[in-house]
Amino acid sequence: VSRVIVAAALMTAAGSTMARAGDATLVARVPFDFIVGDTRLPAGSYTVRTVGDENDVLWIESADGKRRVTTQTIAYSPRETSETAQLVFEKFDDQYFLSRIAPDGGEAREIILTPARMEREIQAIALNP
């Protein structure tokens, strides 16, 4: 049985808003702790935006500005398009990992996650809490 589950938290970012200034940006309230790369972020409100010439980097920042992380992404072509902005999480060993951002009307971006990578990231966080 695979330990990877696409979270039912195909979280339609409640109260999400979009801004257009060249970058795809959304503001979302995430109701659980989650991991991006080797950083654990607590539940709360976050601004998520793509940056860079190719929009291949995600910048995630807490509403209070105390926590921020960047991560590399690739383009994602969904089978079905969503009319609302979404953050999509994968659950692995009871931990949530941000795996995709789908801005309203913008290009969806994906963070490449594999079970081995998620396990390494959990171990890295355990060593550097």
Side-chain angles (χ1 to χ4, degrees):
V1 174
S2 174
R3 295 187 296 176
V4 178
I5 300 169
V6 175
L10 180 82
M11 196 184 106
T12 304
S16 68
T17 57
M18 296 302 298
R20 293 280 175 224
D23 301 331
T25 303
L26 68 86
V27 177
R29 171 115 178 87
V30 181
F32 44 78
D33 294 355
F34 63 103
I35 297 170
V36 178
D38 60 358
T39 303
R40 181 184 314 278
L41 298 170
S45 294
Y46 288 88
T47 299
V48 182
R49 65 182 168 103
T50 57
V51 294
D53 294 337
E54 302 295 321
N55 288 333
D56 57 347
V57 175
L58 278 184
W59 174 267
I60 299 114
E61 183 175 28
S62 62
D64 63 8
K66 292 182 179 179
R67 301 192 191 269
R68 52 183 80 88
V69 65
T70 59
T71 189
Q72 195 74 28
T73 67
I74 61 170
Y76 176 77
S77 298
R79 293 183 195 137
E80 298 177 18
T81 58
S82 174
E83 294 182 21
T84 60
Q86 296 180 338
L87 297 179
V88 179
F89 296 86
E90 287 193 21
K91 189 173 183 181
F92 179 82
D93 278 355
D94 294 323
Q95 305 290 320
Y96 288 97
F97 288 79
L98 179 62
S99 65
R100 192 167 45 240
I101 173 179
D104 181 17
E107 179 183 314
R109 305 299 303 175
E110 179 177 33
I111 301 168
I112 305 233
L113 296 174
T114 63
R117 182 174 179 182
M118 289 184 281
E119 196 164 287
R120 278 192 310 271
E121 291 171 359
I122 289 171
Q123 290 172 352
I125 290 169
L127 294 174
N128 299 311

